[in-house]
Amino acid sequence: MSQSAVKASGVTDAPDAGRWKALVFIALAQLMVVLDATIVNIALPSAQQDLGISDGNRQWVVTAYALAFGGLLLFGGRIADLWGRKRTFVTGLAGFAVASALGGAATNEAMMFGSRALQGVFGALLAPAALSLLAVMFTDAKERAKAFGIYGAIAGGGGAVGLILGGFLTEYLNWRWTFFVNIPFAIVAAAGAYLVIREPKGGRNRSPLDIPGVILSTLGLVALVYGFTRAESNGWSDAVTIGMFVGSAVLLLTFVIVESRVKAPLLPLRVITERNRGGIYLSLGLAIIAMFGLFLFLTYYLQIVKGYTPVKTGFAFLPMIAGMITGSTQIGTRLMTRVAPRLLMGPGFLVAAVGMLFLTQLEVDTSYAGVLLPGMLLLGLGMGTAFMPAMSMATMGVEPRDAGVASAMVNTSQQVGGAIGTALLNTIAASATTSYIADHIGGAASRSQQQLVQLEGQVQGYTSAIWFAVGILVVAAAIALTFVNAGRPGGGAVTGSGAGDEAEDELRVPVVAH
């Protein structure tokens, strides 16, 4: 990279010698955050019983975390740009560890809900800081591909690892360990990051904090996430659900107007209006909608319909993890510097859609080896291949001062996509199940026949929702192929203008237009 490129990218020194060691601790922190999203779901029935949480309130164990995390991500990304990513990263890890300890020690539902919300707050600091550290530390195209390949594999496969670990901890120890297990992760990652990470100079954004932007974005995202969460339990026609969606739309629209006028915006619109990044945020969000819903259905299918234990269920997801790791670290990493990103993302989402098509064939007595194994393998392979360039491109070409908030947008699209996916696909599944049972229960004379109809109804619900997920992935592929027009490193068109073009020309990636 030329001197001019180095200057323009905000990196004043040669690449830090400890950047690969730093990647280990950044990846460890990311694994902890992703694990936590699924590990708690496995432990929820046991925790609910121990703490006397009602069925009506149990959703708050998940919702309290999702609201704090999703609502504060943009704020967390801006804090990383303001304070410095290393400081924000270590602070996020320390806070997450304390919140996890409180969750594991919870003696009542209020303490549990409070600890989950606190985990969400510190997760919102930690996640964008981790991704933006990678963005500013790995500037060479080939190295960046490897680093984001590892990060993408963890981001994609960590959730499934959480199912295995959650199953072991709940079955053989106690649900409290699903919280306590975060503490050693956080301590090792924080200590390693403090000693190893050397954040490049010149990438801070010291502009005053945009308080109206913080308030509007936080309230808007919280209302949106809560609206979808409430729709899942109370229905789409519920007055509060509708009110949340309307309120969210008004708040987020006002946020965009404010951001276009203030001098130092929380989310500079140049970050999301650039064609490639906008396409990546949208396609990634859609893919996560499909993915999160599927995780939920397969977990229920394996445990309730097939009678798998939590541990066996976790192991059943291993082909998906293997596919994700292969797609991300082998296919994505090796091809990232040779082909245009859209030629990895589009086909990747389509391969994942083919994997989903296998899973639309589920029945009560479906063979694991015949349908589930190839379906999960293809799904993982496709998602891993697509996620890797998406994660890298979402922060590539951003000015260093915007790296934190651009990283936060990746996490926001994932978090909001997860909330939408769980609610939307669950509602579709529940409706199809109810309809199937109503049509077939009359012909079931014995109790065993009625139980079979109930199970068949559940599977019918899952497959109906999975068909929708297939469609969503096809749309994600179309968006990636249409919007993402960046060339491969070393060739292809570079779009954009303004400061930083010279640096980006070196990398052959799009730069934000000013």
Side-chain angles (χ1 to χ4, degrees), residues 37 77 81 85 198 222 227 234 257 346 348 370 399 401 420 477 497 507:
D81 289 334
R85 285 133 206 141
R198 298 286 178 269
V222 163
N234 293 66
I257 293 167
E399 294 178 45
R401 63 189 175 127
I420 294 171
S497 61
L507 294 174

Side-chain angles (χ1 to χ4, degrees), residues 256-308:
V256 171
I257 293 167
V258 167
E259 296 307 275
S260 67
R261 295 183 178 181
V262 296
K263 189 177 178 182
L266 173 71
L267 174 61
L269 296 183
R270 60 180 178 265
V271 171
I272 55 171
T273 53
E274 197 276 320
R275 174 176 178 158
N276 290 277
R277 253 187 304 283
I280 282 166
Y281 295 145
L282 192 55
S283 61
L284 200 57
L286 286 169
I288 293 291
I289 288 175
M291 189 93 177
F292 263 63
L294 185 81
F295 265 149
L296 190 71
F297 298 139
L298 283 185
T299 303
Y300 278 117
Y301 174 78
L302 291 169
Q303 290 195 22
I304 294 171
V305 178
K306 303 295 278 185
Y308 285 20

Side-chain angles (χ1 to χ4, degrees), residues 40-111:
V40 172
N41 288 340
I42 295 251
L44 186 53
S46 305
Q48 181 186 354
Q49 191 175 0
D50 266 14
L51 301 178
I53 301 172
S54 68
D55 283 349
N57 283 343
R58 71 180 173 189
Q59 64 160 332
W60 284 101
V61 176
V62 176
T63 305
Y65 177 84
L67 290 181
F69 189 73
L72 291 169
L73 271 167
L74 283 177
F75 177 61
R78 178 67 181 85
I79 288 294
D81 289 334
L82 183 67
W83 280 3
R85 285 133 206 141
K86 176 178 174 179
R87 186 186 298 175
T88 307
F89 182 70
V90 173
T91 303
L93 281 166
F96 202 91
V98 170
S100 299
L102 288 172
T107 54
N108 54 51
E109 64 177 37
M111 192 171 169

